[in-house]
Amino acid sequence: GNSVTQMEGPVTLSEEAFLTINCTYTATGYPSLFWYVQYPGEGLQLLLKATKADDKGSNKGFEATYRKETTSFHLEKGSVQVSDSAVYFCAPTGGGNKLTFGTGTQLKVEL
Amino acid sequence: GAGVSQSPRYKVAKRGQDVALRCDPISGHVSLFWYQQALGQGPEFLTYFQNEAQLDKSGLPSDRFFAERPEGSVSTLKIQRTQQEDSAVYLCASSLLAGAPSLGNEQFFGPGTRLTVL
């Protein structure tokens, strides 16, 4: 089945710093790729997605590009805010209709 | 409601008890998923329904786990004779279409039920 490796956390940054959270995956075929975010005390929310190679997903200042040649989907944001503190999950489709989630990367943004 | 709802939000069970967890998907959504999220881990797939049909139950960890969606809307995940290793957050998600996420078919998640087995 498909699998995903995410950068371990926690990642601690100062406000307005640049963020990169690495994600690589193994998959058969051509999965769609998703980033989900889980804010404290809340459920998982879709942050962005890309469905084919070279697609760039973007939302709320976050971006990720589907890199088929490196099987990666790294999450980036140019200037993080305290409100971005959350756990971020990379999730390629896992074969069939399910998602395969990484272990999650906790981001802490400090003033 | 506008989103996926789950009940109860928290459940404490003694080892050996049976529990039932409820999921109300977004109205009209064809697909429904159950995931299990252990502490500090990402969600892991348990089972998938398309309408009332359970098409994939490959993630259910043992025959103590049973899920149903008899009318193609509300779903119940039942765990019999609970064990301590069953302690986790159980997430339900629904999506509008029957196709795979690769078709851009977003899964919307509920807040989860946190199960603690003592």
Side-chain angles (χ1 to χ4, degrees), chain B residues 37-84:
Chain B
Q37 186 176 16
L39 188 64
Q41 301 297 313
E44 293 193 359
F45 171 80
L46 293 177
T47 188
Y48 162 67
F49 289 86
Q50 181 180 313
N51 295 309
E52 69 278 4
Q54 188 175 19
L55 299 186
D56 187 347
K57 52 183 180 179
S58 61
L60 295 177
S62 78
D63 59 7
R64 297 186 294 104
F65 286 71
F66 172 76
E68 60 183 4
R69 194 186 185 199
E71 298 179 358
S73 55
V74 172
S75 177
T76 304
L77 176 67
K78 298 179 179 178
I79 308 173
Q80 297 177 324
R81 304 181 303 282
T82 52
Q83 303 295 313
Q84 286 186 325

Side-chain angles (χ1 to χ4, degrees), chain A residues 32 36 46 93 96-99 102, chain B residues 33 35 42 48 100-102 106-107:
Chain A
S32 290
Y36 278 81
L46 179 66
T93 49
N97 294 343
K98 57 183 175 282
L99 291 167
Chain B
F33 304 81
Y35 293 84
Y48 162 67
S102 58
E106 177 182 344
Q107 291 184 23

